[in-house]
Amino acid sequence: MKATFKIFGIAILLTVGVAGFYFYVGLPDVSDLKIKNPRSTALMVQRYREAKNADATFRIQQKWIELEAIPKLLRETVRVTEDASFYQHKGIDFAELKAAIKKNWAKKEYARGASTITQQLAKNLYLSTEKSIIRKIKEVLITLRLEKDLSKDRIFEIYLNVIEWGPGIFGVKMASEYYFHKDVGQLTLEEIIRLVAVIPRPLKINPTENSDWLKWKARWILDALRRYAYIDEEQHQTISARFQ
């Protein structure tokens, strides 16, 4: 019996190894991203095809902005909300991954994600929103390549410019102009919170509306900003009151 399990385990490892090698040799070359901004992404193409299949009109709206031009508070709000240890890990946050697996196992459902900013970027640039083991393996391999070839700041800059913020709305600059009719540098703390709250559910949540989910997420973000000392207690209480 032990020998059978041992053979089974070896077979699984070999299968994963072969699959990993097969995916690795077929990975996209990300080196151009060091100096070139991506003109399109896999997610943009996916959304276009979904709209076409539904016989709906779809227009991509995006404007590029350099990382340094994005207010620090906005950058840090995204980071502490989506991937607090972004500048410390190598693309995979194993502590967060362990916690997510534990929670999902306990609930017997996909209740918590563990994707880092780099993993989210890998998915947006080259993959799809499909949930599968194969896609996840590809995502991890692309993530490692992005971390190897690009600086953390460059990864963050591309991420903030290509992630989805609503139907056809991509990038933080376009999102700011579309929802609040102002440049990203003019956003108030409340508007920053509203925009960042939308990131996990860009097609379901509108940052200008006050859904129960948005209010809950906004309070969670404010707690995180206070915990990391990006805002003071007065700011925390003042803005929190608007999301009750």
Side-chain angles (χ1 to χ4, degrees):
M1 183 66 71
K2 288 184 179 180
T4 301
F5 277 116
K6 186 175 181 179
I7 293 172
F8 182 67
I10 292 173
I12 291 177
L13 289 174
L14 287 173
T15 301
V16 171
V18 171
F21 176 77
Y22 172 76
F23 293 142
Y24 184 79
V25 296
L27 290 181
D29 181 4
V30 305
S31 59
D32 281 353
L33 294 176
K34 292 178 182 179
I35 56 175
K36 292 183 180 179
N37 299 330
R39 298 181 63 182
S40 182
T41 69
L43 182 59
M44 291 177 186
V45 173
Q46 178 185 328
R47 295 304 186 215
Y48 175 79
R49 287 174 177 168
E50 289 171 349
K52 186 176 181 180
N53 290 337
D55 224 7
T57 302
F58 182 77
R59 181 166 70 94
I60 293 175
Q61 300 184 69
Q62 181 194 33
K63 293 182 180 180
W64 197 274
I65 184 172
E66 294 183 356
L67 186 66
E68 295 76 14
I70 302 172
K72 181 180 178 180
L73 182 58
L74 175 50
R75 283 182 274 143
E76 292 304 293
T77 301
V78 172
R79 186 183 63 80
V80 301
T81 302
E82 293 298 308
D83 184 4
S85 60
F86 171 67
Y87 283 100
Q88 283 73 53
H89 62 63
K90 301 295 185 181
I92 310 297
D93 188 340
F94 289 101
E96 181 63 23
L97 180 61
K98 181 179 178 181
I101 291 173
K102 186 176 181 181
K103 183 172 183 178
N104 293 338
W105 180 264
K107 293 201 168 194
K108 305 300 182 185
E109 63 181 16
Y110 188 78
R112 174 175 177 173
S115 292
T116 63
I117 283 173
T118 315
Q119 286 177 272
Q120 291 180 48
L121 179 60
K123 179 177 70 174
N124 274 267
L125 285 175
Y126 301 111
L127 303 171
S128 71
T129 57
E130 174 197 13
K131 286 185 171 65
S132 71
I133 296 297
I134 299 300
R135 198 224 72 194
K136 199 66 179 178
I137 292 173
K138 291 180 179 179
E139 177 188 298
V140 169
L141 292 173
I142 295 171
T143 292
L144 297 177
R145 179 161 286 188
L146 286 168
E147 289 275 343
K148 175 179 177 291
D149 288 358
L150 307 182
S151 69
K152 284 287 190 177
D153 281 350
R154 180 57 174 162
I155 290 171
F156 203 13
E157 179 179 87
I158 299 173
Y159 172 84
L160 289 169
N161 277 283
V162 303
I163 60 171
E164 190 175 33
W165 247 293
I169 308 302
F170 293 88
V172 67
K173 182 174 176 62
M174 191 67 246
S176 176
E177 294 180 9
Y178 181 82
Y179 290 113
F180 300 112
H181 312 293
K182 61 175 66 174
D183 184 75
V184 67
Q186 299 175 320
L187 292 173
T188 65
L189 174 58
E190 180 180 347
E191 289 165 344
I192 288 174
I193 299 298
R194 287 180 174 277
L195 272 186
V196 176
V198 169
I199 292 176
R201 299 184 176 186
L203 299 183
K204 295 181 178 180
I205 305 298
N206 185 314
T208 64
E209 298 175 356
N210 288 311
S211 66
D212 289 341
W213 191 90
L214 184 138
K215 289 189 287 187
W216 166 81
K217 187 66 174 181
R219 294 194 301 269
W220 186 95
I221 293 171
L222 282 163
D223 288 347
L225 289 177
R226 182 70 187 101
R227 185 165 62 252
Y228 287 101
Y230 286 111
I231 60 174
D232 58 33
E233 186 57 32
E234 181 179 355
Q235 289 174 302
H236 180 270
Q237 291 185 8
T238 300
I239 304 302
S240 291
R242 301 175 189 172
F243 293 107
Q244 299 303 318

